[in-house]
Amino acid sequence: MAMAPPKKLPKLMKNKDAKKNTNIKIKIKKKTKTAITKTTLPVDNTAVDSEWWEIFWNKNSPNLVSKTAIDEEEGFKHFFRVSKKTFEYICSLVREDLISRPPSGLINIEGRLLSVEKQVAIALRRLASGESQVSVGASFGVGQSTVSQVTWRFIEAMEERSRHHLKWPSSDRLQQIKSGFETLSGLPNCCGAIDATHIVMTLPAVQTSDDWCDQKNNYSMFVQGVVDFETRFLDIVTGWPGGMPISRLLKCSGFYKLCESGGRLNGNAAISNDGEAIREYIVGGASYPLLPWLITPRDGGESSSSVTSPRLNEMIETARSTAAKAFSQLKGAWRILNKVMWRPDKRKLPSIVLVCCLLHNIVIDCGDCLHSSVALSGHHDGDYKAHVCKQVDPDGRNAREVLARSLS
């Protein structure tokens, strides 16, 4: 995953001031440690906590608005977007990290240190609902600062422990993806679909700039993703300003550099009925350039071709729709990405995006499923209008025509 270069960190303090500041910190830590020893009860974090859910359910289930009765299993998925089985798997991924770095002073109203399960539940609820830290904390009986600390610790652990759920597929897996896209859309040798979406945010005046201001006069950050036929993310890039064109976002990505250098989409070609080679490629919408490895529909502005037919355009759109569906599910399930973020740390926001994409993939990999009502009802990027990219690579046009001839 590529990210925007981080800003320079402030200069270090002078030695004298630094020493003084360090002494202050040591005193505070000692005082806090003494207070915790006196007021908290020990908890074995290696044990599985099953009580937190019963307490949470009894407190929050009456708030569910539903015309029909909802059972606990449905309720669990409503609040946390995953089944209990998938929840247990996520806990197993981060348990070691959360135990090795135990929460300092993170206690609930009963005076007990938070269990791993409760920490994971707090973080998932924050990401799934997008509600304020105060609101999420109230539903668990913890404070705002606790929600903040727990969520960030969870994000760091997930980044470290679940990367294997978002990676470019092996050659064997890529063959399965090609078969899936051909069954879905009729396109041979298609390896993925690409799309992008905006994460809208407010920024303090000192951080605002035209780069971050997009076409709707919102401050936003871009997320670009390549997905397979099952809407699983195979590659993402984020951290770049939402005011840049999507074609430029593509060229800033590591994925683009790998494809241009032959590091990706360079596997076995498919052979058409008339003996022409169809190379590996992905499909994209009109905002993307037409390249040898990125096939886009032909629009009315291009010179006409006897072999590029509306039928091919329909096939490309069918395959491409998997990327749009993936982003609708991502932003619908993990609503923190669909709400306006209040002054986020732009260096930390890419990590939040990545973990939400990892959770999206984990749901798929675990054979879990989202409720049909979770995905956004409209387009994942709201009223943003796609700018048509006029860049047409001659080799890309040839690749598209070979593909069209193979279908005629």
Side-chain angles (χ1 to χ4, degrees):
M1 180 188 74
M3 295 184 185
K7 293 185 177 179
K8 292 183 179 179
L9 297 174
K11 293 183 178 179
L12 296 174
M13 297 180 291
K14 293 182 179 180
N15 291 338
K16 183 177 180 181
D17 293 337
K19 184 176 181 182
K20 181 179 179 182
N21 194 58
T22 302
N23 291 336
I24 293 173
K25 287 183 178 179
I26 290 173
K27 290 178 181 178
I28 292 173
K29 286 184 177 180
K30 287 181 178 179
K31 183 178 180 181
T32 304
K33 184 175 181 181
T34 302
I36 292 173
T37 303
K38 291 179 180 180
T39 59
T40 61
L41 298 174
V43 167
D44 178 11
N45 265 325
T46 60
V48 175
D49 175 15
S50 57
E51 293 181 0
W52 73 268
W53 165 243
E54 183 179 351
I55 297 170
F56 179 89
W57 176 248
N58 290 335
K59 181 178 181 180
N60 296 280
S61 59
N63 297 328
L64 285 178
V65 179
S66 177
K67 294 180 180 179
T68 58
I70 184 169
D71 62 27
E72 286 194 34
E73 189 64 36
E74 288 180 285
F76 194 95
K77 189 169 287 191
H78 168 86
F79 284 114
F80 307 110
R81 301 295 191 252
V82 297
S83 66
K84 289 185 178 181
K85 184 177 180 181
T86 303
F87 179 86
E88 291 169 2
Y89 171 70
I90 294 171
C91 289
S92 73
L93 290 175
V94 299
R95 184 176 298 279
E96 183 179 343
D97 284 349
L98 298 187
I99 293 174
S100 63
R101 293 178 294 162
S104 176
L106 300 182
I107 59 176
N108 62 15
I109 56 177
E110 289 130 4
R112 292 183 180 274
L113 287 172
L114 300 180
S115 66
V116 169
E117 285 74 21
K118 192 163 184 178
Q119 290 183 63
V120 172
I122 289 171
L124 289 179
R125 183 59 188 158
R126 170 76 172 127
L127 298 176
S129 68
E131 295 173 356
S132 69
Q133 293 173 353
V134 173
S135 177
V136 172
S139 65
F140 284 94
V142 299
Q144 175 184 355
S145 62
T146 297
V147 174
S148 177
Q149 292 178 63
V150 164
T151 302
W152 185 245
R153 181 177 286 110
F154 172 79
I155 287 169
E156 289 180 314
M158 285 292 289
E159 273 194 292
E160 181 70 22
R161 302 298 177 185
S162 61
R163 288 269 188 162
H164 57 284
H165 283 283
L166 201 165
K167 61 182 181 180
W168 190 251
S170 65
S171 57
D172 289 343
R173 174 59 186 158
L174 208 53
Q175 283 302 125
Q176 296 174 0
I177 292 172
K178 292 176 184 179
S179 297
F181 272 114
E182 187 161 12
T183 300
L184 175 70
S185 66
L187 293 175
N189 229 31
C190 178
C191 299
I194 191 170
D195 203 352
T197 195
H198 293 82
I199 307 298
V200 181
M201 55 191 176
T202 61
L203 294 177
V206 294
Q207 294 183 22
T208 58
S209 69
D210 291 340
D211 288 338
W212 293 96
C213 188
D214 59 36
Q215 58 175 275
K216 290 183 65 179
N217 293 322
N218 293 324
Y219 293 108
S220 64
M221 182 179 287
F222 257 132
V223 185
Q224 175 183 277
V226 179
V227 309
D228 67 13
F229 69 100
E230 294 176 306
T231 72
R232 182 184 288 102
F233 286 99
L234 306 177
D235 183 278
I236 68 165
V237 58
T238 187
W240 295 94
M244 65 197 306
I246 287 180
S247 57
R248 184 182 166 202
L249 172 68
L250 171 69
K251 294 178 180 179
C252 287
S253 68
F255 181 80
Y256 175 86
K257 295 176 177 64
L258 284 169
C259 292
E260 286 289 292
S261 63
R264 279 188 185 167
L265 301 178
N266 63 344
N268 295 332
I271 305 301
S272 66
N273 292 333
D274 53 3
E276 293 186 286
I278 303 170
R279 62 162 295 165
E280 291 182 340
Y281 61 92
I282 62 173
V283 295
S287 298
Y288 286 93
L290 175 61
L291 303 170
W293 50 268
L294 203 174
I295 304 300
T296 60
R298 183 175 72 86
D299 64 30
E302 285 186 53
S303 57
S304 61
S305 168
S306 59
V307 294
T308 307
S309 65
R311 179 168 173 261
L312 176 59
N313 280 5
E314 292 171 5
M315 290 179 167
I316 292 172
E317 179 56 29
T318 299
R320 192 199 68 81
S321 67
T322 58
K325 182 180 178 181
F327 276 117
S328 291
Q329 291 177 339
L330 176 74
K331 295 177 80 172
W334 310 105
R335 297 274 170 151
I336 194 169
L337 301 181
N338 195 48
K339 295 189 176 183
V340 179
M341 290 196 177
W342 175 252
R343 296 189 175 186
D345 186 330
K346 295 202 294 292
R347 292 172 297 180
K348 289 185 175 181
L349 182 52
S351 296
I352 296 173
V353 172
L354 171 60
V355 168
C356 289
C357 291
L358 287 168
L359 290 168
H360 171 94
N361 282 6
I362 286 172
V363 169
I364 298 172
D365 292 341
C366 289
D368 211 341
C369 61
L370 294 171
H371 193 275
S372 58
S373 63
V374 167
L376 300 180
S377 57
H379 191 267
H380 62 78
D381 222 13
D383 297 327
Y384 285 94
K385 295 182 180 179
H387 292 293
V388 177
C389 180
K390 297 296 185 181
Q391 180 185 344
V392 176
D393 185 292
D395 290 337
R397 180 185 286 112
N398 291 338
R400 188 172 63 187
E401 291 187 357
V402 168
L403 184 59
R405 282 195 293 270
S406 73
L407 301 170
S408 62

